[in-house]
Amino acid sequence: MCSVPAFENDQIEANGVNPCPRANLALDLNVLFKEVRLDFDLQLLVGGIVEQQAIQLFRQNRAVFSTAILLAYEMGLVTPAEIDEHFAGGSQALTGLYRESLKRIDAKLNAVAQAIVGEDDDDFEVIAFEFRVREEYGRNEAGPQPVDLVMALNPRFTQLDLIEVDRALAKVVIGCIRYIQDFGEIGICACDIQRTGIGFFLEDELSELKAEINGGNNASDRELAELFLERGQYPFSEFTDDADYLEERIELLRRIINNDPEKLFGDIPDLKGIRAFHRLHKQQDAYVTSPWWPFIEESLAFIRFVEKIKKNHHPEFTIFDSTGSFYSDCGIGVGHAIGFGFDWEETLAAELYEDIANAGETPMSSIALNPIALNQTADKLMILAKARGLIRLAEMIQINQQGDDD
Protein backbone atom coordinates (compact mmCIF):
# COMPACT_ATOMS: atom_id res chain seq x y z
CA MET A 1 0.00 0.00 0.00
CA CYS A 2 1.30 3.44 -0.91
CA SER A 3 0.58 6.15 1.63
CA VAL A 4 0.93 9.76 0.56
CA PRO A 5 0.81 12.38 3.37
CA ALA A 6 -1.55 15.29 2.68
CA PHE A 7 -1.65 18.82 4.07
CA GLU A 8 -4.51 19.81 6.41
CA ASN A 9 -6.72 22.68 5.19
CA ASP A 10 -5.29 25.15 7.71
CA GLN A 11 -1.75 24.21 6.61
CA ILE A 12 -2.69 24.81 2.98
CA GLU A 13 -4.06 28.23 3.71
CA ALA A 14 -1.16 29.19 5.95
CA ASN A 15 1.44 28.08 3.43
CA GLY A 16 -0.33 29.69 0.51
CA VAL A 17 -0.59 26.42 -1.39
CA ASN A 18 -3.25 26.19 -4.05
CA PRO A 19 -6.00 24.05 -2.44
CA CYS A 20 -6.73 20.64 -3.91
CA PRO A 21 -9.34 18.33 -2.35
CA ARG A 22 -7.61 15.43 -0.61
CA ALA A 23 -10.27 12.98 -1.76
CA ASN A 24 -9.61 13.77 -5.44
CA LEU A 25 -5.86 13.40 -4.97
CA ALA A 26 -6.31 9.99 -3.36
CA LEU A 27 -8.68 8.94 -6.14
CA ASP A 28 -6.23 10.02 -8.84
CA LEU A 29 -3.40 8.07 -7.20
CA ASN A 30 -5.53 4.96 -6.81
CA VAL A 31 -6.50 5.08 -10.49
CA LEU A 32 -2.87 5.66 -11.46
CA PHE A 33 -1.52 2.64 -9.58
CA LYS A 34 -4.38 0.40 -10.61
CA GLU A 35 -3.63 1.13 -14.26
CA VAL A 36 0.04 0.08 -14.02
CA ARG A 37 0.75 -3.01 -16.09
CA LEU A 38 4.01 -4.95 -16.55
CA ASP A 39 3.82 -5.57 -20.28
CA PHE A 40 7.57 -6.35 -20.62
CA ASP A 41 10.08 -8.94 -19.40
CA LEU A 42 11.24 -7.80 -15.95
CA GLN A 43 14.25 -10.13 -16.15
CA LEU A 44 15.31 -8.41 -19.36
CA LEU A 45 15.11 -5.03 -17.63
CA VAL A 46 17.20 -6.19 -14.69
CA GLY A 47 19.71 -7.84 -17.01
CA GLY A 48 20.06 -4.62 -18.98
CA ILE A 49 20.70 -2.64 -15.82
CA VAL A 50 23.33 -5.12 -14.66
CA GLU A 51 25.04 -5.06 -18.05
CA GLN A 52 25.12 -1.26 -18.06
CA GLN A 53 26.66 -1.29 -14.58
CA ALA A 54 29.25 -3.81 -15.76
CA ILE A 55 30.09 -1.65 -18.78
CA GLN A 56 30.52 1.41 -16.57
CA LEU A 57 32.64 -0.55 -14.08
CA PHE A 58 34.85 -1.89 -16.85
CA ARG A 59 35.30 1.52 -18.47
CA GLN A 60 36.34 3.03 -15.14
CA ASN A 61 38.80 0.22 -14.43
CA ARG A 62 39.87 -0.84 -17.91
CA ALA A 63 43.61 -0.41 -17.22
CA VAL A 64 43.43 -2.32 -13.92
CA PHE A 65 41.27 -5.17 -15.25
CA SER A 66 43.27 -5.73 -18.42
CA THR A 67 46.64 -5.58 -16.64
CA ALA A 68 45.59 -8.08 -13.98
CA ILE A 69 44.23 -10.50 -16.59
CA LEU A 70 47.40 -10.23 -18.67
CA LEU A 71 49.55 -10.83 -15.58
CA ALA A 72 47.55 -13.96 -14.79
CA TYR A 73 48.09 -15.06 -18.38
CA GLU A 74 51.85 -14.43 -18.07
CA MET A 75 51.87 -16.59 -14.93
CA GLY A 76 50.14 -19.42 -16.81
CA LEU A 77 46.93 -19.02 -14.80
CA VAL A 78 44.64 -17.85 -17.61
CA THR A 79 44.56 -19.36 -21.09
CA PRO A 80 44.19 -17.48 -24.40
CA ALA A 81 40.96 -19.40 -24.97
CA GLU A 82 39.53 -18.09 -21.69
CA ILE A 83 40.45 -14.52 -22.60
CA ASP A 84 38.82 -14.88 -26.03
CA GLU A 85 35.70 -16.43 -24.54
CA HIS A 86 35.28 -13.73 -21.89
CA PHE A 87 36.10 -10.96 -24.34
CA ALA A 88 33.28 -12.17 -26.55
CA GLY A 89 31.01 -12.19 -23.49
CA GLY A 90 31.31 -8.45 -22.97
CA SER A 91 32.10 -6.26 -19.99
CA GLN A 92 30.33 -8.44 -17.44
CA ALA A 93 32.30 -11.50 -18.50
CA LEU A 94 35.61 -9.62 -18.50
CA THR A 95 34.90 -8.31 -15.00
CA GLY A 96 34.33 -11.89 -13.90
CA LEU A 97 37.61 -12.97 -15.49
CA TYR A 98 39.40 -10.15 -13.65
CA ARG A 99 38.08 -11.38 -10.30
CA GLU A 100 38.96 -14.96 -11.20
CA SER A 101 42.47 -13.80 -12.15
CA LEU A 102 42.94 -12.26 -8.70
CA LYS A 103 41.87 -15.51 -7.05
CA ARG A 104 44.24 -17.58 -9.17
CA ILE A 105 47.22 -15.26 -8.58
CA ASP A 106 46.58 -15.39 -4.84
CA ALA A 107 46.25 -19.18 -4.90
CA LYS A 108 49.45 -19.53 -6.94
CA LEU A 109 51.50 -17.39 -4.56
CA ASN A 110 50.16 -19.34 -1.60
CA ALA A 111 50.94 -22.65 -3.29
CA VAL A 112 54.53 -21.61 -4.05
CA ALA A 113 55.11 -20.58 -0.43
CA GLN A 114 53.33 -23.68 0.88
CA ALA A 115 55.48 -25.99 -1.23
CA ILE A 116 58.55 -24.75 0.65
CA VAL A 117 56.95 -25.17 4.07
CA GLY A 118 55.93 -28.69 3.12
CA GLU A 119 52.81 -28.96 5.24
CA ASP A 120 49.30 -27.54 5.41
CA ASP A 121 49.46 -24.22 7.17
CA ASP A 122 46.50 -21.90 7.73
CA ASP A 123 48.16 -19.71 10.35
CA PHE A 124 50.49 -17.75 8.09
CA GLU A 125 48.73 -14.76 6.61
CA VAL A 126 49.43 -13.92 2.99
CA ILE A 127 50.49 -10.61 1.55
CA ALA A 128 47.46 -8.55 0.58
CA PHE A 129 47.63 -7.11 -2.91
CA GLU A 130 45.54 -5.03 -5.27
CA PHE A 131 45.93 -3.37 -8.64
CA ARG A 132 45.61 0.41 -8.65
CA VAL A 133 45.85 3.20 -11.16
CA ARG A 134 48.70 5.28 -9.80
CA GLU A 135 47.24 7.92 -7.53
CA GLU A 136 49.19 10.82 -8.96
CA TYR A 137 47.41 10.43 -12.29
CA GLY A 138 43.74 9.78 -11.74
CA ARG A 139 41.26 7.78 -13.72
CA ASN A 140 40.10 10.52 -16.09
CA GLU A 141 43.48 11.18 -17.67
CA ALA A 142 43.64 10.69 -21.42
CA GLY A 143 45.94 7.98 -22.71
CA PRO A 144 47.28 4.86 -20.96
CA GLN A 145 47.00 4.88 -17.19
CA PRO A 146 49.96 3.51 -15.22
CA VAL A 147 48.94 0.61 -13.02
CA ASP A 148 50.72 -0.44 -9.83
CA LEU A 149 50.53 -3.73 -8.00
CA VAL A 150 50.30 -2.52 -4.40
CA MET A 151 51.22 -5.02 -1.68
CA ALA A 152 50.65 -4.72 2.06
CA LEU A 153 51.63 -6.86 5.02
CA ASN A 154 50.34 -6.98 8.57
CA PRO A 155 53.28 -6.49 10.98
CA ARG A 156 54.57 -9.81 12.29
CA PHE A 157 57.39 -10.89 14.59
CA THR A 158 59.12 -14.24 14.40
CA GLN A 159 61.25 -15.26 17.37
CA LEU A 160 63.83 -17.90 16.48
CA ASP A 161 66.20 -19.37 19.05
CA LEU A 162 69.62 -19.79 17.49
CA ILE A 163 71.65 -19.11 20.64
CA GLU A 164 71.74 -22.78 21.64
CA VAL A 165 72.28 -24.04 18.09
CA ASP A 166 75.77 -25.13 16.99
CA ARG A 167 77.55 -21.81 16.47
CA ALA A 168 78.79 -22.48 12.93
CA LEU A 169 75.37 -23.77 11.88
CA ALA A 170 73.57 -20.83 13.50
CA LYS A 171 75.78 -18.35 11.66
CA VAL A 172 74.93 -19.98 8.33
CA VAL A 173 71.21 -19.89 9.17
CA ILE A 174 71.50 -16.17 9.94
CA GLY A 175 73.40 -15.68 6.70
CA CYS A 176 70.58 -17.40 4.81
CA ILE A 177 67.97 -15.22 6.53
CA ARG A 178 69.83 -12.08 5.55
CA TYR A 179 70.04 -13.22 1.92
CA ILE A 180 66.33 -14.00 1.92
CA GLN A 181 65.68 -10.50 3.21
CA ASP A 182 68.00 -8.91 0.67
CA PHE A 183 66.92 -10.93 -2.37
CA GLY A 184 63.25 -11.18 -1.44
CA GLU A 185 63.16 -7.57 -0.21
CA ILE A 186 61.08 -8.56 2.79
CA GLY A 187 61.84 -8.97 6.47
CA ILE A 188 64.10 -7.20 8.93
CA CYS A 189 66.31 -8.61 11.68
CA ALA A 190 65.41 -7.24 15.10
CA CYS A 191 69.00 -6.12 15.62
CA ASP A 192 68.68 -3.88 12.54
CA ILE A 193 65.57 -2.03 13.69
CA GLN A 194 67.71 0.71 15.23
CA ARG A 195 69.02 1.52 11.76
CA THR A 196 65.68 1.74 9.97
CA GLY A 197 64.96 5.35 10.89
CA ILE A 198 61.52 4.28 12.08
CA GLY A 199 62.72 3.67 15.62
CA PHE A 200 63.29 7.42 15.96
CA PHE A 201 65.78 7.86 18.81
CA LEU A 202 66.88 4.27 19.35
CA GLU A 203 70.23 4.47 17.58
CA ASP A 204 71.06 7.73 19.35
CA GLU A 205 69.96 6.28 22.71
CA LEU A 206 72.31 3.33 22.33
CA SER A 207 75.15 5.58 21.19
CA GLU A 208 74.78 7.96 24.16
CA LEU A 209 74.53 5.15 26.69
CA LYS A 210 77.56 3.35 25.23
CA ALA A 211 79.57 6.58 25.41
CA GLU A 212 78.61 7.03 29.05
CA ILE A 213 79.54 3.45 29.96
CA ASN A 214 82.75 3.48 27.95
CA GLY A 215 83.64 6.75 29.66
CA GLY A 216 83.75 4.93 32.98
CA ASN A 217 80.35 5.82 34.41
CA ASN A 218 79.29 2.81 36.49
CA ALA A 219 76.14 4.39 37.86
CA SER A 220 72.96 2.36 38.26
CA ASP A 221 70.10 2.62 35.80
CA ARG A 222 68.22 4.91 38.18
CA GLU A 223 71.20 7.15 38.72
CA LEU A 224 71.80 7.40 34.98
CA ALA A 225 68.15 8.25 34.39
CA GLU A 226 68.28 11.10 36.89
CA LEU A 227 71.61 12.28 35.52
CA PHE A 228 70.38 12.37 31.92
CA LEU A 229 67.25 14.30 32.90
CA GLU A 230 69.25 16.72 35.03
CA ARG A 231 71.54 17.41 32.08
CA GLY A 232 68.66 17.62 29.63
CA GLN A 233 70.69 15.15 27.62
CA TYR A 234 69.71 14.32 24.06
CA PRO A 235 67.91 12.16 23.06
CA PHE A 236 66.44 11.12 26.41
CA SER A 237 65.10 14.55 27.33
CA GLU A 238 63.38 14.72 23.94
CA PHE A 239 60.82 12.04 24.73
CA THR A 240 60.47 11.92 28.52
CA ASP A 241 60.88 13.73 31.81
CA ASP A 242 59.83 10.68 33.83
CA ALA A 243 62.74 9.15 35.73
CA ASP A 244 60.86 5.88 36.33
CA TYR A 245 60.20 5.40 32.63
CA LEU A 246 63.75 6.35 31.69
CA GLU A 247 65.15 3.89 34.24
CA GLU A 248 63.23 1.06 32.55
CA ARG A 249 64.37 2.33 29.18
CA ILE A 250 68.03 2.29 30.18
CA GLU A 251 67.64 -1.27 31.50
CA LEU A 252 66.39 -2.32 28.04
CA LEU A 253 69.22 -0.48 26.31
CA ARG A 254 71.76 -2.24 28.52
CA ARG A 255 70.33 -5.61 27.56
CA ILE A 256 70.64 -4.71 23.89
CA ILE A 257 74.27 -3.62 24.38
CA ASN A 258 75.25 -6.62 26.51
CA ASN A 259 73.48 -9.17 24.30
CA ASP A 260 74.58 -8.01 20.88
CA PRO A 261 74.18 -10.63 18.13
CA GLU A 262 77.39 -9.42 16.52
CA LYS A 263 79.29 -10.15 19.73
CA LEU A 264 77.80 -13.62 20.10
CA PHE A 265 77.79 -14.82 16.50
CA GLY A 266 80.68 -12.80 15.09
CA ASP A 267 81.04 -12.42 11.35
CA ILE A 268 78.13 -13.84 9.38
CA PRO A 269 79.24 -15.81 6.28
CA ASP A 270 78.60 -14.36 2.86
CA LEU A 271 77.10 -16.40 0.04
CA LYS A 272 80.45 -17.97 -0.80
CA GLY A 273 80.85 -19.02 2.84
CA ILE A 274 77.32 -20.44 3.02
CA ARG A 275 77.91 -22.55 -0.07
CA ALA A 276 81.27 -23.73 1.21
CA PHE A 277 79.70 -24.77 4.53
CA HIS A 278 76.98 -26.71 2.73
CA ARG A 279 79.48 -28.43 0.43
CA LEU A 280 81.86 -29.42 3.27
CA HIS A 281 79.22 -30.70 5.69
CA LYS A 282 76.50 -32.24 3.50
CA GLN A 283 77.82 -35.72 4.32
CA GLN A 284 78.11 -35.17 8.09
CA ASP A 285 75.24 -36.52 10.16
CA ALA A 286 75.81 -33.96 12.90
CA TYR A 287 74.67 -31.27 10.49
CA VAL A 288 72.36 -32.94 7.95
CA THR A 289 70.17 -34.33 10.74
CA SER A 290 69.65 -30.84 12.16
CA PRO A 291 66.16 -29.42 11.51
CA TRP A 292 67.93 -26.33 10.15
CA TRP A 293 69.66 -28.25 7.35
CA PRO A 294 66.57 -28.31 5.07
CA PHE A 295 66.25 -24.57 5.65
CA ILE A 296 69.81 -24.03 4.40
CA GLU A 297 69.19 -26.20 1.32
CA GLU A 298 65.91 -24.45 0.50
CA SER A 299 67.63 -21.09 0.96
CA LEU A 300 70.40 -22.04 -1.48
CA ALA A 301 67.78 -23.18 -4.00
CA PHE A 302 66.03 -19.83 -3.58
CA ILE A 303 69.29 -17.94 -4.15
CA ARG A 304 69.94 -19.93 -7.35
CA PHE A 305 66.42 -19.12 -8.50
CA VAL A 306 66.94 -15.39 -7.92
CA GLU A 307 70.37 -15.40 -9.57
CA LYS A 308 68.92 -16.99 -12.69
CA ILE A 309 66.21 -14.33 -12.88
CA LYS A 310 68.72 -11.53 -12.37
CA LYS A 311 70.89 -12.97 -15.13
CA ASN A 312 67.95 -13.11 -17.52
CA HIS A 313 66.85 -9.57 -16.74
CA HIS A 314 69.29 -7.12 -15.23
CA PRO A 315 71.91 -7.27 -12.46
CA GLU A 316 70.13 -4.44 -10.65
CA PHE A 317 66.78 -6.24 -10.85
CA THR A 318 64.70 -5.36 -7.77
CA ILE A 319 61.22 -6.40 -6.74
CA PHE A 320 59.78 -3.14 -5.48
CA ASP A 321 60.03 0.31 -7.02
CA SER A 322 61.01 2.03 -3.80
CA THR A 323 61.41 1.38 -0.10
CA GLY A 324 58.14 3.03 0.80
CA SER A 325 56.44 3.21 -2.60
CA PHE A 326 53.97 5.86 -3.66
CA TYR A 327 51.48 4.58 -1.13
CA SER A 328 53.28 4.48 2.20
CA ASP A 329 56.34 5.90 3.90
CA CYS A 330 56.87 2.46 5.41
CA GLY A 331 58.06 -0.21 2.97
CA ILE A 332 56.86 -3.78 3.12
CA GLY A 333 60.40 -4.88 3.98
CA VAL A 334 59.95 -3.98 7.65
CA GLY A 335 56.66 -5.85 7.86
CA HIS A 336 58.22 -9.03 9.23
CA ALA A 337 60.77 -8.75 12.04
CA ILE A 338 62.92 -11.76 12.90
CA GLY A 339 64.76 -12.36 16.17
CA PHE A 340 67.59 -14.77 16.86
CA GLY A 341 66.80 -15.57 20.49
CA PHE A 342 67.64 -12.49 22.57
CA ASP A 343 65.25 -11.31 25.27
CA TRP A 344 65.04 -7.72 23.99
CA GLU A 345 64.11 -8.48 20.38
CA GLU A 346 60.36 -8.82 20.87
CA THR A 347 60.23 -5.49 22.74
CA LEU A 348 62.09 -3.77 19.92
CA ALA A 349 59.77 -5.26 17.29
CA ALA A 350 56.72 -4.19 19.30
CA GLU A 351 58.07 -0.65 19.49
CA LEU A 352 58.72 -0.61 15.76
CA TYR A 353 55.19 -1.65 14.92
CA GLU A 354 53.72 0.74 17.49
CA ASP A 355 55.63 3.59 15.83
CA ILE A 356 54.31 2.50 12.43
CA ALA A 357 50.73 2.33 13.72
CA ASN A 358 50.99 5.70 15.45
CA ALA A 359 52.20 7.21 12.18
CA GLY A 360 49.09 5.82 10.48
CA GLU A 361 51.19 3.66 8.19
CA THR A 362 51.04 0.09 6.96
CA PRO A 363 54.05 -1.78 5.56
CA MET A 364 53.39 -1.34 1.83
CA SER A 365 55.36 -1.34 -1.40
CA SER A 366 54.45 -1.32 -5.06
CA ILE A 367 55.48 -2.81 -8.37
CA ALA A 368 54.97 -0.72 -11.50
CA LEU A 369 53.27 -2.89 -14.10
CA ASN A 370 54.51 -2.51 -17.64
CA PRO A 371 52.12 -4.33 -20.01
CA ILE A 372 55.00 -5.35 -22.29
CA ALA A 373 57.19 -6.62 -19.42
CA LEU A 374 54.74 -8.54 -17.23
CA ASN A 375 57.06 -11.56 -17.34
CA GLN A 376 59.34 -9.60 -15.00
CA THR A 377 56.43 -8.94 -12.64
CA ALA A 378 55.60 -12.65 -12.65
CA ASP A 379 59.21 -13.43 -11.69
CA LYS A 380 59.10 -10.82 -8.92
CA LEU A 381 55.99 -12.39 -7.44
CA MET A 382 57.59 -15.83 -7.51
CA ILE A 383 60.63 -14.46 -5.65
CA LEU A 384 58.40 -12.83 -3.07
CA ALA A 385 56.32 -15.98 -2.60
CA LYS A 386 59.41 -18.13 -2.12
CA ALA A 387 60.90 -15.64 0.35
CA ARG A 388 57.70 -15.72 2.39
CA GLY A 389 57.70 -19.51 2.29
CA LEU A 390 61.27 -19.62 3.61
CA ILE A 391 60.46 -17.28 6.49
CA ARG A 392 57.51 -19.46 7.39
CA LEU A 393 59.70 -22.57 7.13
CA ALA A 394 62.03 -21.02 9.72
CA GLU A 395 59.03 -20.34 11.95
CA MET A 396 57.79 -23.91 11.64
CA ILE A 397 61.22 -25.32 12.47
CA GLN A 398 61.26 -23.22 15.63
CA ILE A 399 57.70 -24.20 16.55
CA ASN A 400 58.45 -27.90 16.06
CA GLN A 401 61.61 -27.62 18.14
CA GLN A 402 59.70 -26.02 20.97
CA GLY A 403 57.14 -28.80 20.75
CA ASP A 404 59.87 -31.43 21.00
CA ASP A 405 61.39 -29.65 24.03
CA ASP A 406 58.01 -29.57 25.76
Side-chain angles (χ1 to χ4, degrees):
M1 179 178 179
C2 181
S3 175
V4 181
F7 288 108
E8 298 294 338
N9 286 336
D10 55 349
Q11 290 178 303
I12 293 173
E13 294 174 0
N15 295 333
V17 178
N18 190 27
C20 179
R22 291 168 54 198
N24 290 346
L25 175 63
L27 178 62
D28 291 344
L29 289 173
N30 286 334
V31 171
L32 174 64
F33 283 104
K34 284 180 180 178
E35 291 300 319
V36 172
R37 296 287 185 271
L38 296 179
D39 293 330
F40 51 85
D41 187 347
L42 186 59
Q43 188 65 38
L44 181 63
L45 173 63
V46 173
I49 293 173
V50 171
E51 178 60 24
Q52 287 301 315
Q53 290 176 333
I55 292 172
Q56 183 68 14
L57 179 65
F58 184 80
R59 285 175 177 172
Q60 290 176 341
N61 299 276
R62 184 191 305 272
V64 167
F65 286 10
S66 59
T67 304
I69 292 170
L70 288 174
L71 177 59
Y73 166 75
E74 189 65 46
M75 296 173 69
L77 306 175
V78 172
T79 66
E82 284 182 289
I83 295 176
D84 289 342
E85 177 186 348
H86 286 79
F87 185 82
S91 300
Q92 198 170 346
L94 284 170
T95 300
L97 182 58
Y98 161 72
R99 291 173 177 152
E100 181 63 26
S101 296
L102 295 185
K103 292 179 183 178
R104 293 181 188 180
I105 292 172
D106 184 63
K108 176 66 174 181
L109 298 182
N110 286 339
V112 169
Q114 193 68 61
I116 292 175
V117 178
E119 55 186 276
D120 292 335
D121 180 15
D122 297 327
D123 295 329
F124 194 50
E125 77 281 0
V126 298
I127 295 176
F129 69 92
E130 64 175 331
F131 295 81
R132 296 185 189 176
V133 171
R134 191 169 302 162
E135 293 176 355
E136 64 184 31
Y137 285 85
R139 294 175 181 267
N140 295 323
E141 292 285 336
Q145 295 175 313
V147 176
D148 291 328
L149 178 56
V150 184
M151 316 193 80
L153 182 65
N154 289 326
R156 185 183 183 94
F157 173 65
T158 295
Q159 180 70 79
L160 306 179
D161 185 3
L162 299 176
I163 295 176
E164 301 301 324
V165 175
D166 173 86
R167 189 57 41 83
L169 182 62
K171 290 169 68 170
V172 172
V173 170
I174 293 173
C176 290
I177 289 172
R178 289 198 174 278
Y179 269 92
I180 293 166
Q181 292 172 340
D182 290 343
F183 286 6
E185 296 187 47
I186 189 168
I188 181 172
C189 295
C191 55
D192 293 330
I193 289 176
Q194 66 201 61
R195 291 184 281 273
T196 63
I198 297 175
F200 295 114
F201 299 112
L202 180 58
E203 190 167 12
D204 291 337
E205 289 178 82
L206 290 169
S207 177
E208 288 296 316
L209 182 58
K210 286 178 182 178
E212 200 71 32
I213 294 172
N214 294 336
N217 191 334
N218 297 317
S220 66
D221 295 343
R222 181 69 183 193
E223 291 170 335
L224 282 175
E226 293 174 348
L227 177 62
F228 290 158
L229 292 178
E230 181 182 342
R231 291 177 182 169
Q233 185 164 336
Y234 176 87
F236 306 105
S237 60
E238 296 288 324
F239 60 80
T240 188
D241 57 3
D242 184 341
D244 291 336
Y245 170 80
L246 188 51
E247 180 183 2
E248 294 180 3
R249 185 68 179 175
I250 291 172
E251 188 273 333
L252 171 65
L253 296 173
R254 279 192 192 272
R255 282 192 281 134
I256 295 174
I257 293 171
N258 295 332
N259 296 282
D260 186 345
E262 292 184 3
K263 290 181 180 178
L264 179 65
F265 295 113
D267 293 334
I268 301 302
D270 57 13
L271 182 54
K272 183 178 179 181
I274 294 172
R275 284 173 166 156
F277 179 90
H278 177 262
R279 184 174 60 255
L280 291 172
H281 300 290
K282 63 183 179 181
Q283 302 297 332
Q284 298 181 14
D285 288 344
Y287 288 105
V288 298
T289 57
S290 167
W292 287 108
W293 192 258
F295 176 78
I296 294 172
E297 293 195 318
E298 288 286 356
S299 298
L300 288 171
F302 167 72
I303 292 169
R304 289 192 298 271
F305 178 77
V306 175
E307 288 178 331
K308 181 178 179 180
I309 289 175
K310 284 179 175 283
K311 182 178 180 181
N312 291 339
H313 294 299
H314 192 280
E316 302 302 320
F317 177 86
T318 58
I319 293 181
F320 299 117
D321 299 314
S322 64
T323 302
S325 84
F326 296 99
Y327 304 94
S328 173
D329 291 331
C330 170
I332 199 173
V334 300
H336 198 139
I338 301 174
F340 300 142
F342 298 97
D343 59 4
W344 48 264
E345 291 171 317
E346 185 172 2
T347 301
L348 225 57
E351 289 185 358
L352 168 68
Y353 295 137
E354 183 179 2
D355 288 342
I356 291 173
N358 289 339
E361 298 287 353
T362 299
M364 297 173 65
S365 292
S366 62
I367 302 173
L369 300 179
N370 185 341
I372 63 173
L374 288 177
N375 61 324
Q376 291 190 27
T377 302
D379 288 338
K380 292 177 180 183
L381 292 180
M382 290 300 99
I383 292 173
L384 191 60
K386 287 176 178 288
R388 289 284 283 165
L390 282 165
I391 293 175
R392 183 53 175 170
L393 176 60
E395 277 191 337
M396 294 304 297
I397 291 171
Q398 184 63 48
I399 291 170
N400 292 336
Q401 281 187 315
Q402 290 174 340
D404 292 341
D405 292 341
D406 295 341

